Amino acid sequence: MKQGKLFVVSGPSGTGKGTVCGRILDDRENTIYSVSMTTREPREGEEDGKEYFFTDKEKFLKMIDDGELLEHAQVYGQHYGTPKAFVADMLKNGKNVILELDVQGAMSVRKEDPDAVLIFILPPSVAELERRISGRGTESPESKARRLSEAINEISCADKYDYIVINDDLDKAVEEVKAIMTAEQLKVTESSAGVIEKYKEES
Ligand code: ADP
Ligand code: 5GP
């Protein structure tokens, strides 16, 4: 069976990563979202196991020690990490996996899996980013200020990614991410040899 592909989506808080990924997961079969572990508090409406697995610092650090995380990073003062076994199982079963990660996490994943595809989602402007974080209504004034002050550092790393998508018009951004995923899956790889072989056998 053809191994699945890893897609990493990053971008500053409020740029629309969750919204874009949600739309892609609704529309694309064979693509699955990896739910991260975090020590941050759940926002109103967030469910354990859906947006994140919410945990405490002690358990999180134990998972690191036990080698259970594919990558982990501290973002906005909290720990975030990707459960390793789930991702490995899904890829082995031919599923494409989406990881929503900060820049440090994305760079760690690239080291672990050089075939991972890294996509950076930019807002149309910093002013619009601020409107979106405020409009979402989930952050305290301190958390909002921290996220905005980090935004420009994160945006400065966008050129380390394979693709940049500007999330101005949501439909267009979703179509662009889908196009990237489709093209990446059609790329010639070692497993393409099996496909070509079939034609030789038939002739
Ligand atoms: P992130 O996951 O990057 O932190 P969200 O997906 O939570 O961002 O989006 C932040 C806010 O911006 C949400 O209220 C969402 O509805 C809104 N949003 C997302 N994409 C767009 C868009 N293209 N145009 C306008 N608002 C958007
Ligand atoms: P939020 O608290 O807004 O959900 O996420 C904050 C930041 O943490 C976002 O940039 C998000 O992409 C990042 N993040 C979420 N899960 C992970 C993870 O498992 N690992 C890493 N490195 N970053 C993550």
Side-chain angles (χ1 to χ4, degrees):
M1 182 189 277
K2 196 176 172 190
Q3 166 104 351
K5 236 182 190 317
L6 208 46
F7 292 91
V8 176
V9 175
S10 302
S13 183
T15 199
K17 301 179 294 297
T19 308
V20 170
C21 291
R23 287 271 297 268
I24 286 167
L25 291 161
D26 285 346
D27 292 359
R28 265 185 103 87
E29 280 173 29
N30 216 36
T31 300
I32 197 145
Y33 183 78
S34 160
V35 178
S36 295
M37 310 292 307
T38 185
T39 58
R40 87 147 160 75
E41 289 295 311
R43 294 175 183 142
E44 210 182 305
E46 283 185 335
E47 286 170 38
D48 189 41
K50 190 167 172 239
E51 288 82 5
Y52 286 102
F53 293 108
F54 296 97
T55 188
D56 59 32
K57 192 173 164 188
E58 195 188 337
K59 288 192 188 127
F60 192 95
L61 296 180
K62 183 161 183 331
M63 286 188 81
I64 299 177
D65 282 350
D66 293 347
E68 289 178 27
L69 298 179
L70 172 66
E71 63 70 44
H72 59 91
Q74 257 183 284
V75 193
Y76 315 129
Q78 297 293 337
H79 294 277
Y80 294 81
T82 305
K84 195 191 258 178
F86 176 80
V87 173
D89 277 0
M90 291 300 127
L91 294 176
K92 208 171 79 192
N93 288 320
K95 300 259 187 232
N96 298 308
V97 181
I98 299 185
L99 306 178
E100 226 186 283
L101 306 180
D102 82 316
V103 174
Q104 310 163 74
M107 296 304 128
S108 305
V109 167
R110 170 168 274 160
K111 265 199 205 138
E112 285 280 317
D113 179 359
D115 291 335
V117 179
L118 273 50
I119 304 170
F120 198 94
I121 311 239
L122 279 173
S125 66
V126 174
E128 173 61 12
L129 182 68
E130 190 166 0
R131 273 194 291 277
R132 286 185 191 172
I133 300 186
S134 301
R136 192 170 64 188
T138 52
E139 306 309 313
S140 65
E142 298 75 32
S143 165
K144 194 182 119 184
R146 185 161 196 180
R147 282 157 192 265
L148 282 172
S149 76
E150 279 295 322
I152 203 65
N153 290 335
E154 294 175 290
I155 290 171
S156 307
C157 298
D159 60 357
K160 296 192 170 82
Y161 282 65
D162 299 308
Y163 297 94
I164 290 177
V165 170
I166 298 176
N167 179 22
D168 189 355
D169 177 75
L170 179 61
D171 289 341
K172 184 164 176 271
V174 169
E175 286 313 313
E176 287 176 353
V177 175
K178 282 189 194 167
I180 293 166
M181 295 182 79
T182 301
E184 287 289 340
Q185 283 170 256
L186 296 174
K187 246 186 178 167
V188 175
T189 61
E190 275 173 25
S191 59
S192 310
V195 177
I196 298 165
E197 211 49 47
K198 180 177 91 85
Y199 291 88
K200 290 186 189 160
E201 281 163 14
E202 272 181 16
S203 64

